[in-house]
């Protein structure tokens, strides 16, 4: 049996489970809790915080994962990317407080809070921007409290920033979901993964990437 990690975020989990069901993989009747086992395929789905998924996959605690490419890039996890999905696309963006209207284009002297300092640092250097980076998992809260000028995060397409007293400042890139695998799958689990990939491709919800 293969163990597959997906995000415990409710909206993202729902979208991924719809894809799984379209692939003909039936799950137990409930989608609650931290795990769900298929009734017609040798797979168990584990619902965990998305930030933990690259490390769980790299260490072999799970065999497969559906996770944001940006988190693999940020953590530099040594895992195989098997497919890029067409569902769950979000955007990497820099966000400011709604009443902060005077941020200069070069961000000189401004602080950006983020849980992704590596990706943000590359973006700033590539564009000659001179902001300071503060590594944290609470960027949104720091901006709302006036403790940081901006924050950098992966935003859902329907995320309403205005209601939280925030505004979009800049989109940096898209956040794509990918199907990724541990590099040391057993021969038996590799067989299960091959069958899963066949089903992925048959749904037209994934496009091939180099293995």
């Amino acid at each position: 049996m293969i163990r597959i990690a997906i995000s415990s975020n409710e909206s993202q989990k729902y979208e991924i489970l719809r894809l799984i069901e379209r692939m003909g993989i039936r799950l137990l009747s409930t989608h609650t809790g931290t795990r769900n086992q298929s009734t017609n395929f040798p797979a168990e789905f584990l619902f965990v915080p998305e930030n933990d998924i690259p490390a769980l996959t790299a260490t072999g605690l799970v065999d497969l994962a559906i996770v944001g490419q940006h988190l693999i890039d940020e953590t530099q996890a040594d895992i195989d990317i098997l497919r890029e999905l067409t569902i769950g696309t979000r955007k990497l963006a820099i966000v400011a407080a709604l009443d902060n209207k005077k941020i200069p284009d070069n961000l000189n002297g401004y602080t950006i809070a983020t849980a992704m300092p590596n990706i943000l640092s590359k973006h700033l250097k590539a564009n000659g921007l001179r902001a300071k980076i503060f590594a944290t998992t609470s960027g949104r809260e720091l901006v709302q409290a006036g403790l940081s000028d901006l924050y950098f995060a992966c935003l859902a397409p329907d995320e309403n920033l205005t209601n939280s007293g925030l505004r979009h400042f800049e989109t940096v890139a898209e956040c794509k979901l990918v199907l990724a695998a541990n590099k040391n799958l057993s021969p038996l689990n590799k067989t299960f993964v091959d069958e899963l990939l066949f089903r992925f491709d048959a749904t037209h919800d994934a496009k091939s990437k180099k293995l």
Side-chain angles (χ1 to χ4, degrees):
M1 177 179 291
I2 53 175
R3 293 162 63 87
I4 305 173
I6 66 175
S7 173
S8 56
N9 175 275
E10 284 299 323
S11 61
Q12 194 176 131
K13 179 172 73 171
Y14 175 75
E15 194 166 7
I16 293 171
L17 290 179
R18 285 184 60 196
L19 168 61
I20 297 300
E21 290 168 356
R22 288 200 303 272
M23 290 163 50
I25 296 175
R26 294 193 296 272
L27 304 177
L28 296 176
S29 57
T30 177
H31 287 174
T32 60
T34 58
R35 58 178 62 192
N36 200 325
Q37 191 166 323
S38 172
T39 60
N40 67 337
F41 190 84
E44 180 181 34
F45 296 87
L46 306 173
F47 310 128
V48 298
E50 190 180 21
N51 287 347
D52 296 334
I53 292 178
L56 291 172
T57 310
T59 57
L61 291 176
V62 298
D63 303 296
L64 290 177
I66 296 177
V67 63
Q69 172 75 62
H70 64 289
L71 292 176
I72 299 174
D73 295 340
E74 175 64 31
T75 60
Q76 299 180 351
D78 187 20
I79 56 182
D80 288 331
I81 298 173
L82 306 180
R83 296 292 189 272
E84 183 180 278
L85 308 187
T86 59
I87 64 168
T89 299
R90 295 162 287 169
K91 62 182 178 181
L92 286 171
I94 298 174
V95 175
L98 190 60
D99 58 1
N100 190 346
K101 305 293 187 181
K102 298 181 179 180
I103 301 172
D105 290 340
N106 67 1
L107 301 177
N108 187 25
Y110 278 69
T111 297
I112 307 176
T114 184
M116 296 176 286
N118 293 327
I119 294 176
L120 178 58
S121 178
K122 289 179 181 178
H123 170 71
L124 295 178
K125 290 177 181 177
N127 291 277
L129 303 175
R130 294 174 286 174
K132 295 176 287 186
I133 297 173
F134 181 75
T136 177
T137 57
S138 305
R140 174 186 288 253
E141 292 78 7
L142 292 184
V143 171
Q144 290 171 324
L147 298 174
S148 179
D149 302 301
L150 308 123
Y151 79 93
F152 174 67
C154 189
L155 305 179
D158 58 351
E159 190 157 350
N160 191 321
L161 295 173
T162 304
N163 287 350
S164 300
L166 302 167
R167 68 179 179 88
H168 175 270
F169 178 76
E170 178 189 2
T171 295
V172 173
E174 286 190 325
C175 300
K176 295 281 192 179
L177 285 180
V178 297
L179 176 66
N182 177 267
K183 285 182 172 291
N184 299 302
L185 295 174
S186 69
L188 179 60
N189 281 352
K190 181 64 167 61
T191 300
F192 295 150
V193 170
D194 288 343
E195 169 62 22
L196 193 69
L197 291 177
F198 176 81
R199 292 180 182 229
F200 260 88
D201 293 340
T203 64
H204 303 291
D205 277 313
K207 55 185 179 182
S208 297
K209 292 193 71 174
K210 185 177 180 181
L211 296 180

